[in-house]
Amino acid sequence: MNETAPPDHRLLRSYGRLKSRPIKPRQAALVETLLPRIRCPQAPFDPAGLLPGAAETWLEVGFGGGEHMAAQAARRPEVLILGAEPFQNGVASALRHVEEQALANVRIEDGDVRTLTARLPDASLARIFVLFPDPWPKARHHKRRLIQPETVAEFARLLRPGGAFRFASDWADYVDWTLARMGAHPAFRWTAERADDWRRPPADHVATRYEEKRLGDCAPVFLDYLRV
């Protein structure tokens, strides 16, 4: 990916639905009023400048309804959390969480995460979360999966040494897919030492509505990696 300028948006495509049911009036109002105030800058930027004094910056890719992102932001007000989500209903839901909890440390990219990561400098993130992404289970759709060699390379660029990457899924094939692609990149080390390390939610994990629906074909699996 281009590290100095955002890619041409016409070349990017976010698969899946971008909107489903009509957005509720209250949430629609937040899209008009709150989102412009907390939207990520549209030019290349250093996240350290968005929240003066922030201890570090985290990124959640595809935050869904925003439950996990908001809960982490509430727990760690000293951390700036960037969230990217192309699904409009999810963005509207996340804005409600931000308003209700008066979260000052959240910034949102209402679009494809690739347009955000291309604007961030090297080693600018301390953590990245990819939680229960669309599994695209059919073989012909695997190219649409978020975890690809180029995505892993971009995460390696963005994470500082000692940074952390967490992937979670309840689709066994996607877990295997991710293990293979993360394992192929020398910048990442899988931290698991025993089966419970991937079978049990990490101590700081926050369950989401999607996770609790158990729509996959296996129990949730959590993969934590260290940026070496």
Side-chain angles (χ1 to χ4, degrees), residues 1-221:
M1 292 186 178
N2 189 332
E3 298 181 12
T4 60
D8 188 334
H9 290 200
R10 294 171 296 179
L11 301 179
L12 297 178
R13 178 180 178 185
S14 297
Y15 293 98
R17 300 176 303 167
L18 296 183
K19 185 177 181 181
S20 60
R21 63 188 182 279
I23 297 175
K24 297 177 181 179
R26 177 190 170 195
Q27 294 180 2
L30 292 174
V31 171
E32 296 296 325
T33 59
L34 178 58
L35 180 57
R37 302 202 305 270
I38 65 171
R39 181 180 277 126
C40 293
Q42 298 305 293
F45 69 99
D46 185 343
L50 298 184
L51 187 68
E56 53 193 37
T57 302
W58 299 357
L59 168 65
E60 182 164 349
V61 182
F63 55 70
E67 303 101 323
H68 176 273
M69 178 176 65
Q72 294 288 3
R75 287 177 176 179
R76 299 290 302 274
E78 80 282 7
V79 171
L80 172 66
I81 299 185
L82 310 179
E85 175 60 60
F87 186 48
Q88 296 176 28
N89 298 76
V91 171
S93 173
L95 291 171
R96 176 177 60 83
H97 291 300
V98 170
E99 183 197 45
E100 289 179 350
Q101 300 179 54
L103 301 174
N105 57 330
V106 172
R107 300 294 182 272
I108 289 176
E109 175 82 3
D110 51 326
D112 193 301
V113 69
R114 293 170 293 177
T115 66
L116 172 60
T117 58
R119 305 197 304 273
L120 296 175
D122 295 355
S124 56
L125 303 178
R127 296 190 75 176
I128 297 176
F129 299 92
V130 176
L131 305 178
F132 303 94
D134 195 319
W136 295 109
K138 296 181 180 179
R140 68 177 184 273
H141 292 154
H142 284 179
K143 63 180 180 295
R144 299 181 180 183
R145 286 177 167 176
L146 175 67
I147 302 300
Q148 304 288 347
E150 56 270 25
T151 315
V152 175
E154 183 73 339
F155 290 165
R157 180 184 74 81
L158 292 171
L159 280 170
R160 69 189 189 190
F165 171 73
R166 176 173 296 161
F167 174 89
S169 180
D170 53 5
W171 286 86
D173 177 69
Y174 204 176
V175 173
D176 291 341
W177 171 282
T178 300
L179 283 167
R181 282 146 185 82
M182 293 296 296
H185 200 292
F188 290 102
R189 178 175 64 83
W190 188 22
T191 62
E193 297 179 350
R194 57 188 66 86
D196 279 352
D197 291 339
W198 68 80
R199 290 175 177 168
R200 293 185 178 180
D204 63 346
H205 177 64
V206 179
T208 66
R209 287 178 296 172
Y210 174 86
E211 177 185 347
E212 293 170 347
K213 291 178 180 179
R214 295 294 196 268
L215 298 177
D217 61 2
C218 69
V221 174

